[in-house]
Amino acid sequence: MASLKEFESKVQGTIKEYGLVDKGDKILVACSGGKDSTTALYLLKKFGYNVEAFIIDLIIGNWSKANLENVKKFCKEQGIKLHVISMREEFGCSICYIRSNIQSKRNFTNCMICGVIKRWVMNQKARELGATKVATGHNLDDEVETLMMNIMKGNPGLSITLGPKTGVIRDKKFIPRIKPLYFCTNDEIREYSKGMGFPVLYKPCPCATGAFRIEVRKLVSEMERQDKDVKMNLVKNFMVMLPILRKAYSPKGSLKYCSVCGEPSRNDVCKRCDLMKVLKE
Ligand code: SF4
Ligand code: ZN
């Protein structure tokens, strides 16, 4: 395992090599209270970038309460401005209510619904707060799993939005996203976060679902036992192919704005507003 210093150099190297941060950027870090986003927040601040944090209170029982408290405590200690967005204020209810209501009508997974809503809120709030980048805690394991899932499900075009920074959508209303922990494994981040004594929960979200992702995770771990570099090899090869994939699969024509909420969208109505329509049915 790398030392704390080596881990930090690796993250700094990713930021520099892939040009994740430009001069004058204001970075809003999307925090969940977990080890990944807390580590990304800490390091971006430590490297001297202009960062603020934000967390969406999803209202998933005690899990959300503990995460919110941890993020508040951490930001106070670090002197980082924190923005708390409450599902109750934004949507009038918890994510659990939205999810179970939609799932009584459509066969969508918890994380699909939650992910669409979080990305919508994240982009809108980041723009309102004058951020020029949104940073997330996505790591190497997340990326490999998503990449493998897209390939196995026959959807390689979905992978064009992967990579250390978004590069497909260029629009004044879309805030680019960056992943400073792109080349760091779950294990490395856990070790760093524990070594630094960050106040985070190491328990997964109680609503995390996705049987296919779990199977892919097992498969990757099995392959890793035979070759410890398998994850890094997969992602590095993917990075070589990414420009080709983007050329082949990027949607033609310019981005639209959702006719309901006005946010950037591929279709006339964005995914979040589609879900809200189902909710009201
Ligand atoms: Fe939402 Fe799934 Fe993340 Fe839980 S694990 S916060 S349900 S996206
Ligand atoms: Zn919309």
Side-chain angles (χ1 to χ4, degrees):
M1 276 292 174
S3 69
L4 299 182
K5 202 92 217 103
E6 283 166 340
F7 177 86
E8 292 179 0
S9 303
K10 182 171 171 176
V11 178
Q12 201 160 25
T14 303
I15 295 171
K16 295 243 155 73
E17 187 175 345
Y18 292 92
L20 301 194
V21 184
D22 296 309
K23 211 165 169 234
D25 264 345
K26 173 174 168 179
I27 307 167
L28 197 64
V29 182
C31 295
S32 66
K35 68 185 190 320
D36 305 299
S37 51
T38 304
T39 297
L41 176 63
Y42 174 79
L43 287 179
L44 285 167
K45 171 90 186 338
K46 179 168 181 172
F47 298 153
Y49 298 117
N50 177 13
V51 289
E52 290 182 8
F54 98 117
I55 182 167
I56 305 172
D57 181 8
L58 296 167
I59 323 177
I60 305 180
N62 288 337
W63 185 78
S64 285
K65 274 189 198 146
N67 280 319
L68 187 58
E69 284 319 303
N70 282 340
V71 172
K72 281 183 180 168
K73 180 172 178 243
F74 184 76
C75 288
K76 199 169 174 205
E77 277 169 12
Q78 299 294 326
I80 298 170
K81 187 165 184 184
L82 171 68
H83 307 270
V84 180
I85 289 112
S86 163
M87 281 297 293
R88 189 113 42 217
E89 279 163 31
E90 289 293 319
F91 293 89
C93 55
S94 69
I95 193 76
C96 307
Y97 174 83
I98 295 180
R99 234 177 24 219
S100 55
N101 195 306
I102 291 174
Q103 284 167 333
S104 66
K105 299 161 197 159
R106 298 284 194 286
N107 187 21
F108 295 149
T109 65
N110 289 355
C111 294
M112 180 264 166
I113 298 169
C114 185
V116 165
I117 290 175
K118 282 196 300 188
R119 280 192 296 277
W120 184 90
V121 173
M122 195 158 77
N123 191 61
Q124 200 200 46
K125 292 293 164 194
R127 208 175 53 239
E128 273 177 31
L129 294 167
T132 50
K133 297 268 165 65
V134 169
T136 64
H138 284 93
N139 65 35
L140 185 69
D141 293 67
D142 302 325
E143 192 80 353
V144 166
E145 286 163 18
T146 307
L147 179 61
M148 298 276 287
M149 284 164 67
N150 290 345
I151 294 170
M152 287 178 179
K153 290 207 167 189
N155 294 322
L158 291 183
S159 298
I160 61 171
T161 56
L162 299 181
K165 66 174 174 182
T166 48
V168 182
I169 307 173
R170 286 182 209 284
D171 183 272
K172 62 179 186 324
K173 290 185 95 176
F174 180 77
I175 310 302
R177 295 184 206 132
I178 57 170
K179 302 172 191 167
L181 307 183
Y182 192 78
F183 292 106
C184 304
T185 64
N186 248 324
D187 290 345
E188 287 172 328
I189 301 166
R190 191 181 303 105
E191 188 174 294
Y192 182 80
S193 172
K194 286 191 169 169
M196 295 298 292
F198 292 154
V200 301
L201 280 188
Y202 291 92
K203 281 196 287 190
C205 166
C207 301
T209 50
F212 193 59
R213 182 175 285 272
I214 294 166
E215 286 309 312
V216 169
R217 192 171 300 156
K218 280 190 208 153
L219 178 70
V220 175
S221 299
E222 184 54 42
M223 287 155 64
E224 203 182 18
R225 269 196 280 281
Q226 296 175 43
D227 180 349
K228 65 175 177 37
D229 296 326
V230 80
K231 288 181 200 159
M232 195 59 93
N233 290 342
L234 272 165
V235 162
K236 286 207 163 151
N237 277 298
F238 166 68
M239 292 299 292
V240 174
M241 290 185 299
L242 186 55
I244 304 165
L245 280 176
R246 283 185 175 167
K247 210 168 168 197
Y249 291 101
S250 288
K252 306 285 173 260
S254 58
L255 200 67
K256 300 173 185 178
Y257 296 114
C258 171
S259 59
V260 181
C261 68
E263 285 296 298
S265 170
R266 289 270 166 236
N267 302 309
D268 292 337
V269 176
C270 76
K271 287 183 186 165
R272 174 264 186 196
C273 292
D274 270 341
L275 288 178
M276 290 301 115
K277 204 170 139 215
V278 177
L279 186 69
K280 288 180 195 141
E281 271 171 9

